[in-house]
Amino acid sequence: MKVVLFCGGLGTRLRDYSETIPKPLVNIGYRPVMWHLMRYYAHFGHKDFVLALGYRGDMIRDYFLKYDETVSNDFVLSEGGRKVELLTSDIHDWRITFVDTGLKSNIGQRLKAVEKYLEGEEVFLANYTDGLTDLPLDKVVAHFHEKGKIASFVSVKPSQSFDIVKLDTGDHVDALTHITKSGIWVNAGYFTFHKDIFQYIKNGEELVYEPFKRLIDAKQIVTFKHDGFFLAMDTFKEKMTIDDLFARGETPWEVWKNNHSSNGNSGK
């Protein structure tokens, strides 16, 4: 299946990290977060990518046009540096379509803008391109086909450290519950769509608001609950957390290395 990656946002909450690099190109170790995500999808056999570009899309194009395999692969150097023999490779069998979807477009508009590049795809995958996980993607896809709906997204438990406040009709606090113990699930930004999704999106609409409301009313959307690892790189603090995990060699999202078996269940 093709994989649509939304790469056009400004990443304003990461501006403390960089004023010029688009969020998908922010590095984790030797490679950008979008590369880690693409390696994740490729591990499950999905190697045909459609990049919905926006802010600093030129940098994303340039990154792949000048891609250096030696950065993340073992190799042999000989003949005084004139010959490089790769011992492993990572993107040689990927197909990547680069699409300018507008500087200020929302996710719904970006998806509509790449619709023509999904022609012939009955089902496709999509992602916000900022969250890493050990999610069993094969089970997600199987769950989608089993349910026979138009849309599905992955739900995860929130990891943020704040409390949910329950109030009475005034300002009296009835309850205070840490969000991780509240029973709340949140959208992780990992989507599976039938091609009919485009019938639910009108011009200018944000994907998860008006279109998803129509899908909910039509009972055409389901979710897959994932209890395993998930961490979104939305803020500088979360970026540091991921960097710390990488430095310690604790990288559950690197399923291509870890052969990790994660816990996931279908949220019925």
Side-chain angles (χ1 to χ4, degrees), residues 229 231 240-253:
F229 175 84
L231 187 59
M240 293 300 98
T241 299
I242 294 174
D243 283 344
D244 288 343
L245 290 172
F246 187 87
R248 296 198 303 266
E250 299 174 10
T251 55
W253 67 87

Side-chain angles (χ1 to χ4, degrees), residues 9-11 13-14 21-26 33 55 129-130 233-234:
L10 297 177
R13 286 179 289 181
L14 270 175
I21 300 175
K23 184 162 69 168
L25 283 186
V26 172
V33 61
Y55 174 70
T129 322
D130 61 4
M233 196 179 68
D234 283 328

Side-chain angles (χ1 to χ4, degrees), residues 190-203:
Y190 281 66
F191 302 101
T192 310
F193 291 128
H194 185 273
K195 63 181 181 180
D196 287 349
I197 183 65
F198 293 107
Q199 298 177 17
Y200 287 79
I201 307 173
K202 297 180 181 179
N203 290 335

Side-chain angles (χ1 to χ4, degrees), residues 8-61:
L10 297 177
T12 53
R13 286 179 289 181
L14 270 175
R15 288 297 178 86
D16 287 343
Y17 179 79
S18 174
E19 287 286 342
T20 57
I21 300 175
K23 184 162 69 168
L25 283 186
V26 172
N27 270 13
I28 298 172
Y30 303 115
R31 292 293 190 193
V33 61
M34 69 181 301
W35 177 92
H36 287 263
L37 187 63
M38 293 166 83
R39 278 300 305 267
Y40 166 83
Y41 278 107
H43 172 75
F44 290 98
H46 309 292
K47 303 177 182 181
D48 194 341
F49 301 97
V50 179
L51 305 188
L53 304 175
Y55 174 70
R56 295 314 311 262
D58 59 316
M59 294 186 68
I60 295 174
R61 295 173 191 264

Side-chain angles (χ1 to χ4, degrees), residues 63-103:
Y63 174 80
F64 285 103
L65 285 171
K66 298 178 180 178
Y67 190 81
D68 183 359
E69 289 256 48
T70 63
V71 172
S72 51
N73 290 286
D74 296 337
F75 63 94
V76 176
L77 185 70
S78 60
E79 298 180 10
R82 293 188 298 273
K83 182 178 178 181
V84 175
E85 178 186 353
L86 287 171
L87 300 179
T88 57
S89 181
D90 43 43
I91 75 166
H92 69 283
D93 57 350
W94 295 4
R95 184 175 186 270
I96 309 174
T97 303
F98 299 80
V99 186
D100 181 4
T101 59
L103 181 61

Side-chain angles (χ1 to χ4, degrees), residues 216-267:
I216 291 170
D217 291 344
K219 300 187 183 302
Q220 284 295 325
I221 187 168
V222 293
T223 192
F224 183 98
K225 292 181 180 179
H226 178 55
D227 285 318
F229 175 84
F230 175 82
L231 187 59
M233 196 179 68
D234 283 328
T235 65
F236 181 71
K237 181 180 179 181
E238 289 163 339
K239 165 72 167 79
M240 293 300 98
T241 299
I242 294 174
D243 283 344
D244 288 343
L245 290 172
F246 187 87
R248 296 198 303 266
E250 299 174 10
T251 55
W253 67 87
E254 291 188 320
V255 293
W256 57 94
K257 291 182 179 179
N258 301 328
N259 292 319
H260 188 83
S261 178
S262 55
N263 296 319
N265 58 78
S266 58

Side-chain angles (χ1 to χ4, degrees), residues 53-222:
L53 304 175
Y55 174 70
R56 295 314 311 262
D58 59 316
M59 294 186 68
I60 295 174
R61 295 173 191 264
D62 194 57
Y63 174 80
F64 285 103
L65 285 171
K66 298 178 180 178
Y67 190 81
D68 183 359
E69 289 256 48
T70 63
V71 172
S72 51
N73 290 286
D74 296 337
F75 63 94
V76 176
L77 185 70
S78 60
E79 298 180 10
R82 293 188 298 273
K83 182 178 178 181
V84 175
E85 178 186 353
L86 287 171
L87 300 179
T88 57
S89 181
D90 43 43
I91 75 166
H92 69 283
D93 57 350
W94 295 4
R95 184 175 186 270
I96 309 174
T97 303
F98 299 80
V99 186
D100 181 4
T101 59
L103 181 61
K104 296 184 178 181
S105 301
N106 61 38
I107 298 296
Q109 290 174 293
R110 295 192 194 283
L111 185 57
K112 288 286 286 184
V114 303
E115 180 178 4
K116 61 184 177 181
Y117 300 102
L118 298 169
E119 187 175 352
E121 295 289 303
E122 193 76 12
V123 175
F124 64 93
L125 305 168
N127 199 287
Y128 283 156
T129 322
D130 61 4
L132 301 174
T133 185
D134 61 356
L135 176 74
L137 188 62
D138 51 346
K139 293 182 181 179
V140 174
V141 173
H143 175 256
F144 176 82
H145 287 297
E146 174 192 339
K147 297 300 180 181
K149 304 299 183 180
I150 291 173
S152 174
F153 63 91
V154 172
S155 295
V156 296
K157 293 179 179 178
S159 59
Q160 296 91 339
S161 181
F162 57 83
D163 297 311
I164 295 176
V165 181
K166 181 181 179 182
L167 302 174
D168 62 9
T169 54
D171 57 5
H172 182 268
V173 177
D174 280 344
L176 195 65
T177 307
H178 194 276
I179 191 169
T180 58
K181 298 179 180 180
S182 65
I184 288 176
W185 294 77
V186 297
N187 173 17
Y190 281 66
F191 302 101
T192 310
F193 291 128
H194 185 273
K195 63 181 181 180
D196 287 349
I197 183 65
F198 293 107
Q199 298 177 17
Y200 287 79
I201 307 173
K202 297 180 181 179
N203 290 335
E205 290 183 340
E206 176 59 84
L207 178 64
V208 299
Y209 298 126
E210 299 94 342
F212 272 28
K213 176 62 166 58
R214 296 185 189 105
L215 289 165
I216 291 170
D217 291 344
K219 300 187 183 302
Q220 284 295 325
I221 187 168
V222 293

